[in-house]
Amino acid sequence: MHSILIADDDEEIRELLTFKLQSGYEVTAAADGRECWRYLENATDLPDLVVLDVMMPGLNGYRVLDRMQDDDRLADIDVIMLTSRGKEDDIVRALESGATDYMTKPFSANELIARIKRVLG
């Protein structure tokens, strides 16, 4: 079973995604970028995919993504950015930094699930 790490500071989004995804995936949730990074640094079983918010306190999603790309253990993990930042510059920055996909909030949970299925196969 594929595993997914959700990193979003919005508790309702974490709970919604966990509920929607837990029937088909192992789901772990992080409340902010620092918690996400600690999880990734210390995990013995790395997630197959990270759903990553951009605007989080402490350590934003771009910084988490940059750190992942700089770490050989983490660089190949797929990342879907899920954020309210929908400007072209934000999207290009994420994709050029190594994100696999990018979705803006508000979002359709069904569309996100379809994108996750496409990424994970």
Side-chain angles (χ1 to χ4, degrees), residues 6 8 10-23 27 29 51 82 103 105-113 116:
I6 299 164
D8 198 304
D10 185 322
E11 184 176 358
E12 289 181 18
I13 290 176
R14 288 193 315 272
E15 289 177 358
L16 170 71
L17 293 179
T18 299
F19 175 76
K20 290 279 197 178
L21 295 169
Q22 66 188 358
S23 64
V27 180
V51 177
L82 180 64
M103 280 189 68
K105 297 176 186 175
F107 67 97
S108 156
N110 290 334
E111 180 182 348
L112 178 61
I113 291 168
I116 289 170

Side-chain angles (χ1 to χ4, degrees), residues 3-80:
S3 60
I4 299 173
L5 172 60
I6 299 164
D8 198 304
D9 60 325
D10 185 322
E11 184 176 358
E12 289 181 18
I13 290 176
R14 288 193 315 272
E15 289 177 358
L16 170 71
L17 293 179
T18 299
F19 175 76
K20 290 279 197 178
L21 295 169
Q22 66 188 358
S23 64
Y25 304 95
E26 286 181 35
V27 180
T28 304
D32 60 40
R34 285 193 176 119
E35 188 177 330
C36 174
W37 182 248
R38 277 193 304 272
Y39 178 86
L40 290 169
E41 274 189 315
N42 298 313
T44 51
D45 291 325
L46 293 172
D48 299 301
L49 172 74
V50 177
V51 177
L52 187 58
D53 185 16
V54 170
M55 295 186 300
M56 295 184 287
L59 191 63
N60 71 41
Y62 291 128
R63 291 184 62 201
V64 172
L65 180 60
D66 290 341
R67 287 182 178 190
M68 288 176 68
Q69 295 304 308
D70 289 340
D71 186 319
D72 290 340
R73 270 183 69 234
L74 308 175
D76 291 333
I77 296 173
D78 287 304
V79 176
I80 296 177

